[in-house]
Amino acid sequence: MGASRDRHPTVQATFGQRAAKASHPLAAYLLRLMELKQSNLCLSADVSNARELLQLADAIGPSIVLFKTHYDLVAGWDYHPKTGTGAKLGALGRKHGFLIFEDRKFGDIGHTVQLQYTAGTARIIDWAHIVNINMIPGKPAVKALSEAAKHWRSRVNYEVNTSVTVGTPVSDSFGDNGEDDEAADEEADTVGGMHSHPPSSQHRDSNSTGRKGSIVSVTTLTQSFEPADSPRFSTTIAEGDELVYAGIEEPPWERGLLILAQMSSAGNYMTPEYTRACQEAARENKDFVMGFIAQGTLNTEPDDDFISMTPGVQLPPEGADDDAIAGDGMGQQYNTPTKLIGDAGSDIIIVGRGILKAGAPRAEAERYRRRAWKAYLARTGQRI
């Protein structure tokens, strides 16, 4: 690590210590979850169909704290807000203790990214705790996403209860000769819909014969707004799926953003100037930006406490030296957990093919988890 990274307090602090001081609710929750599960592993779940995605989440969930998706790559993604793929991932996340990170890499003008985030068929904000942005459009896009998340947060935890009542006011003035039957017919017409008159209005039927007027039925619609603070309100899919990982509560409603500040691919155009602009945008939106996708920690100012997550991670075969790591032949450059967490100061490693292509993915995920956690313990001076 460079000197500035050596000196920054977040590099030596434990995840628990950082959680206690974190101002972003979701960042604090994630740091606590990492400490509880002894995991700083994110699975990049780049699979091609929804069934495989859910099976993978269930199988690898115990080893990870983040489950990274590309929903638009998944055939058969069910967009139903209550019972669809996103809701099912949410239930598995509560069961196994992980957050969902949709790797959307927003990269358009502010109004467009707001719609991409909150609207359309996917409604990403409803099921993804974390998203990320490519800063090419500039800082206004970060601000736009932040505003969209605040607006969603202000509305989402209120349940609207609607009640409809239908009744006929009591009156001594009902006429004879079938007028009661006429009132009954009018009552039937109003059931299930809004009557055109206010709840207390009386409608008298008068005609040229001088018959006495009849009082018809009234339909009243009332609404009340009640707090629904539990995320289960929007993601419940079945009674049996309401398991919550032991030792920690459900995630907070707040959403988080990661800024794509650096990449592991060869020849990328993310210059130092670009990375500095990402840091500035994060500091200006600390209530929404919780960290970076980067090649190491980007905490340099005294008040920085951003979480850094790094892709391009691979372990050598058992017994092989770390230097035995090679790229994928398509520009991806790989590093080991020891280099990224121990030396560069990153907090979470993002692993995809290294786990997915293994003969035993669950066992391989555990191997990555152990190595990443060991590197974190060594970095923070804790007993291994």
Side-chain angles (χ1 to χ4, degrees):
M1 280 188 293
S4 63
R5 287 174 178 169
D6 282 333
R7 290 194 298 267
H8 201 276
T10 56
V11 175
Q12 281 83 31
T14 67
F15 294 144
Q17 291 168 339
R18 290 171 63 182
K21 297 180 179 179
S23 58
H24 193 302
L26 193 61
Y29 181 90
L30 177 57
L31 289 164
R32 288 167 50 221
L33 185 63
M34 292 157 67
E35 192 86 354
L36 175 65
K37 293 189 74 173
Q38 297 188 0
S39 173
N40 48 348
L41 174 63
C42 169
L43 176 67
S44 182
D46 296 335
V47 295
S48 59
N49 67 79
R51 177 177 294 183
E52 185 179 359
L53 185 79
L54 294 171
Q55 290 174 343
L56 187 65
D58 202 17
I60 309 298
S63 299
I64 62 175
V65 290
L66 280 173
F67 188 80
K68 186 171 77 71
T69 60
H70 286 107
Y71 82 90
D72 52 351
L73 297 181
V74 180
W77 184 283
D78 183 347
Y79 295 102
H80 193 284
K82 300 288 187 180
T83 60
T85 306
K88 290 177 180 177
L89 281 177
L92 290 170
R94 291 192 297 273
K95 173 183 175 182
H96 294 301
F98 62 78
L99 298 179
I100 303 167
F101 165 26
E102 166 56 27
D103 191 5
R104 183 62 179 80
K105 296 186 180 73
F106 293 107
D108 214 314
I109 61 173
H111 178 66
T112 300
V113 297
Q114 284 184 333
L115 293 176
Q116 290 172 329
Y117 189 25
T118 64
T121 54
R123 291 189 60 86
I124 296 170
I125 196 170
D126 284 348
W127 51 269
H129 304 96
I130 300 169
V131 292
N132 60 353
I133 187 171
N134 188 323
M135 270 279 291
I136 295 300
K139 295 179 182 179
V142 176
K143 187 67 175 176
L145 286 173
S146 177
E147 291 173 353
K150 288 177 183 176
H151 181 67
W152 177 86
R153 176 64 180 87
S154 70
R155 294 167 57 92
V156 73
N157 66 329
Y158 283 92
E159 179 177 359
V160 181
N161 292 326
T162 303
S163 61
V164 179
T165 58
V166 180
T168 303
V170 177
S171 175
D172 296 330
S173 62
F174 283 118
D176 299 324
N177 301 322
E179 289 177 10
D180 289 348
D181 294 336
E182 291 178 14
D185 290 341
E186 291 188 61
E187 178 178 351
D189 290 341
T190 64
V191 175
M194 288 290 291
H195 197 280
S196 60
H197 299 286
S200 61
S201 69
Q202 295 181 353
H203 173 60
R204 296 189 177 275
D205 180 18
S206 300
N207 55 31
S208 58
T209 62
R211 292 191 306 171
K212 287 186 290 185
S214 61
I215 301 176
V216 301
S217 65
V218 175
T219 300
T220 303
L221 183 147
T222 59
Q223 288 184 330
S224 62
F225 294 81
E226 299 179 0
D229 292 326
S230 171
R232 297 180 194 177
F233 170 65
S234 64
T235 57
T236 296
I237 58 175
E239 187 68 25
D241 290 306
E242 288 306 307
L243 301 174
V244 179
Y245 189 78
I248 196 167
E249 72 282 5
E250 294 183 60
W253 277 108
E254 281 74 15
R255 296 320 198 202
L257 181 71
L258 302 173
I259 298 180
L260 184 59
Q262 296 172 332
M263 292 187 71
S264 57
S265 56
N268 71 80
Y269 294 113
M270 294 184 176
T271 64
E273 291 77 17
Y274 168 88
T275 301
R276 282 194 293 271
C278 294
Q279 292 171 292
E280 292 172 4
R283 292 172 187 137
E284 292 167 8
N285 297 275
K286 292 187 74 170
D287 57 343
F288 183 49
V289 178
M290 57 188 292
F292 303 99
I293 302 296
Q295 292 300 293
T297 183
L298 293 182
N299 293 330
T300 55
E301 296 293 326
D303 292 336
D304 287 351
D305 191 16
F306 298 107
I307 298 172
S308 289
M309 308 185 191
T310 307
V313 185
Q314 194 172 81
L315 283 176
E318 289 283 4
D321 188 81
D322 280 1
D323 294 332
I325 300 292
D328 68 351
M330 293 183 288
Q332 177 64 282
Q333 302 175 108
Y334 289 117
N335 277 304
T336 64
T338 300
K339 292 179 181 178
L340 293 174
I341 295 174
D343 297 338
S346 190
D347 298 309
I348 294 175
I349 58 168
I350 302 174
V351 184
R353 284 172 285 182
I355 294 173
L356 300 180
K357 301 298 183 182
R362 184 182 296 183
E364 191 69 355
E366 268 297 294
R367 190 166 80 98
Y368 273 91
R369 184 198 64 79
R370 288 193 300 267
R371 289 289 291 271
W373 192 252
K374 181 179 179 181
Y376 154 72
L377 293 177
R379 185 184 85 191
T380 54
Q382 300 180 71
R383 180 180 297 177
I384 299 175

